[in-house]
């Protein structure tokens, strides 16, 4: 007689709704960490499949086990234990976690996620690519189980269908757009010297929005000089040496940080020295990175205005209200794929 197989599917989510940025950044996963964590779970609890999505607004851990019916709670707590130990997080994590169990519940969430319904900026497209990249990474590194494999393939199909058959992504704003809108309303940027730190997708979008507002005095710096030069050439910008970042922050008016650095680029001591050299000249820093590029607890520094991802909520709320009808329409389409 063939042995029946029971598959347990679960999700642990630490996201912008459940946790502040200071918690989310502690659980951001670089690609190499995903592999190490997968190996740890295989050793500690024989996980059969794992996909980790890690962005500025969320870290989500999708897991799969065979033949563990009735052990959902035990496995959830075991993974949580491994997670806090892996990330060296001694404080209580439970208040900041959203969990889902069962294929239907997890699928519904994933399909909403890739369609842009769970995003801070409803309808934004970056999450679609981020889910795909997380799936392909897990696939390449043989981290997938059969159920998660099919679930993520189906989610990509669903996300594409929803975006093609609704206006959920039409004119969708990004985190970069929201940041530029906020700072352009608070400051006169036409005569400001703006430094963009980083040369990735978020930096690219930030520069595009600034240029669309006819703001020309933009500079870029990047740790990888070749990539920074290519980025600057594409947009007609001037490159500043990354090793002179601290000196350049003394002379610019606005700095937008969008890097993938795993630790702060600017320490509290660095920033205090910078502000001292600037004397009475104010500095605006927009830190769109998670983990943050600017060391925590700098908001009270005289002359410094610091905005991070969690400071974009006003524009986010306007975006949500504008898209309510499309959200409902998108959900009806998602339900057909479940």
């Amino acid at each position: 007689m063939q042995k029946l197989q029971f598959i347990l599917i679960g999700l642990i989510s630490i996201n912008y709704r459940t946790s502040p940025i200071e918690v989310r950044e502690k659980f951001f996963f670089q690609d190499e960490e995903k592999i190490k964590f997968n190996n740890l779970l295989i050793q500690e609890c024989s996980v059969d499949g794992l996909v980790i999505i890690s962005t500025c607004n969320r870290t989500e851990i999708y897991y799969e086990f065979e033949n563990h019916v009735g052990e959902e709670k035990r496995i959830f707590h075991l993974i949580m234990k491994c997670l806090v130990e892996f990330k060296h997080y001694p404080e209580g994590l439970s208040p900041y976690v959203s969990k889902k169990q069962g294929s239907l519940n997890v699928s519904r969430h994933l399909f909403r996620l890739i369609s842009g319904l769970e995003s801070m900026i409803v309808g934004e497209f970056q999450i679609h690519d981020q889910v795909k990249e997380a799936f392909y990474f897990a696939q390449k590194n043989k981290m997938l189980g059969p159920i998660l494999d099919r679930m993520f393939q189906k989610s990509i199909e669903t996300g594409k269908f929803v975006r093609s058959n609704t206006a959920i992504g039409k004119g969708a704003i990004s985190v970069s757009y929201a940041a530029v809108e906020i700072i352009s309303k608070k400051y006169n940027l036409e005569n400001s010297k703006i430094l963009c730190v980083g040369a990735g997708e978020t930096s690219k979008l930030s520069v595009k929005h600034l240029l669309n507002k006819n703001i020309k005095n933009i500079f870029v710096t990047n740790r990888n000089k070749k990539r920074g030069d290519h980025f600057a050439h594409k947009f007609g910008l001037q490159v500043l040496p990354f090793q002179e970042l601290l000196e350049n922050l003394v002379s610019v008016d606005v700095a937008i940080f969008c890097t993938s650095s795993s630790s702060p680029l600017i320490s509290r001591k660095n920033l205090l020295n910078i502000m001292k050299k600037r004397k009475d000249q104010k500095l605006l820093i927009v830190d769109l990175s998670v983990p943050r590029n600017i060391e925590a607890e700098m908001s009270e520094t005289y002359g410094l205005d610091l905005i991070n991802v969690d400071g974009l909520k006003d524009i986010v709320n306007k975006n949500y209200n504008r898209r309510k009808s499309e959200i409902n329409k998108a959900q009806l389409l998602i339900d057909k794929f479940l």
Side-chain angles (χ1 to χ4, degrees):
M1 183 180 292
Q2 186 178 9
K3 184 179 179 181
L4 291 175
Q5 294 258 304
F6 297 98
I7 307 295
L8 166 62
I9 300 293
L11 165 64
I12 292 171
S13 177
I14 304 165
N15 60 68
Y16 72 95
R17 289 193 179 108
T18 64
S19 60
I21 191 170
E22 54 265 28
V23 175
R24 297 200 307 275
E25 68 184 356
K26 299 289 186 185
F27 291 92
F28 185 87
F29 275 79
Q30 303 287 352
D31 282 348
E32 60 272 17
E33 290 182 301
K34 294 178 182 180
I35 296 172
K36 290 178 182 177
F37 189 62
N38 180 61
N39 292 338
L40 173 65
L41 291 186
I42 290 173
Q43 181 182 341
E44 294 293 325
C45 48
S46 302
V47 67
D48 294 300
L50 190 73
V51 179
I52 300 176
I53 300 170
S54 210
T55 74
C56 64
N57 282 323
R58 68 186 67 250
T59 287
E60 297 199 333
I61 299 170
Y62 296 78
Y63 55 89
E64 174 177 338
F65 285 88
E66 287 186 5
N67 297 322
H68 285 277
V69 171
E71 295 187 90
E72 292 84 354
K73 287 185 178 180
R74 184 184 70 82
I75 289 172
F76 167 75
H77 288 297
L78 187 53
I79 294 176
M80 286 282 287
K81 178 177 178 292
C82 290
L83 179 61
V84 296
E85 290 177 356
F86 183 79
K87 285 296 188 177
H88 308 291
Y89 189 79
E91 297 89 348
L93 179 60
S94 295
Y96 303 114
V97 168
S98 169
K99 69 172 182 177
K100 296 187 184 299
Q101 291 174 336
S103 296
L104 182 60
N105 290 332
V106 176
S107 296
R108 182 180 287 112
H109 173 84
L110 178 59
F111 292 4
R112 283 177 56 86
L113 178 68
I114 200 169
S115 300
L117 304 191
E118 293 291 332
S119 295
M120 177 185 280
I121 309 289
V122 174
E124 57 93 10
F125 193 78
Q126 272 184 289
I127 189 61
H128 185 273
D129 292 338
Q130 289 162 341
V131 171
K132 284 174 63 177
E133 287 168 9
F135 167 61
Y136 293 143
F137 180 83
Q139 191 177 58
K140 178 183 176 181
N141 289 280
K142 296 179 170 48
M143 295 165 57
L144 288 170
I147 303 301
L148 283 181
D149 193 336
R150 288 196 293 273
M151 183 183 294
F152 272 81
Q153 289 191 49
K154 191 71 173 178
S155 77
I156 294 169
E157 179 187 346
T158 304
K160 184 178 179 180
F161 185 83
V162 168
R163 291 175 187 274
S164 298
N165 290 276
T166 70
I168 194 69
K170 187 177 180 180
I173 66 175
S174 64
V175 168
S176 302
Y177 177 90
V180 170
E181 284 298 297
I182 285 177
I183 64 176
S184 61
K185 287 177 181 177
K186 292 180 71 174
Y187 302 90
N188 180 8
L189 298 180
E190 289 184 11
N191 300 316
S192 297
K193 184 177 179 180
I194 301 173
L195 176 62
C196 189
V197 184
E201 184 66 20
T202 304
S203 297
K204 181 174 76 174
L205 292 172
S206 299
V207 168
K208 279 185 175 181
H209 296 313
L210 289 167
L211 292 174
N212 286 339
K213 290 182 176 292
N214 295 316
I215 297 163
K216 306 295 184 184
N217 201 13
I218 308 170
F219 300 80
V220 64
T221 187
N222 191 61
R223 192 188 301 274
N224 184 313
K225 186 178 184 302
K226 184 177 179 181
R227 189 176 184 186
D229 289 345
H230 177 76
F231 182 94
H233 178 73
K234 182 177 181 180
F235 293 103
L237 309 178
Q238 182 177 334
V239 182
L240 298 179
F242 187 81
Q243 60 268 28
E244 297 176 13
L245 176 60
L246 298 181
E247 293 91 329
N248 287 320
L249 287 175
V250 175
S251 60
V252 301
D253 302 299
V254 180
I256 303 175
F257 283 78
C258 320
T259 86
S260 58
S261 175
S262 58
S263 57
L265 296 178
I266 308 297
S267 69
R268 179 180 176 83
K269 183 179 179 181
N270 291 152
L271 204 43
L272 289 173
N273 287 336
I274 289 166
M275 297 311 297
K276 185 177 180 180
K277 291 178 182 178
R278 293 176 67 90
K279 298 180 180 178
D280 293 328
Q281 185 184 5
K282 292 187 176 181
L283 174 63
L284 168 63
I285 293 181
V286 182
D287 188 357
L288 300 180
S289 305
V290 177
R292 287 172 290 181
N293 286 171
I294 311 301
E295 200 166 66
E297 299 178 1
M298 293 302 304
S299 57
E300 300 301 319
T301 304
Y302 178 75
L304 173 67
D305 194 356
L306 179 59
I307 298 172
N308 60 37
V309 171
D310 285 1
L312 307 178
K313 289 189 168 59
D314 288 344
I315 285 185
V316 169
N317 290 336
K318 288 179 183 177
N319 177 64
Y320 180 83
N321 290 330
R322 195 165 58 242
R323 293 173 180 274
K324 273 185 178 176
S325 61
E326 292 304 311
I327 291 170
N328 294 334
K329 183 178 178 182
Q331 185 60 64
L332 291 174
L333 294 178
I334 287 170
D335 290 343
K336 293 180 180 180
F337 278 82
L338 294 171

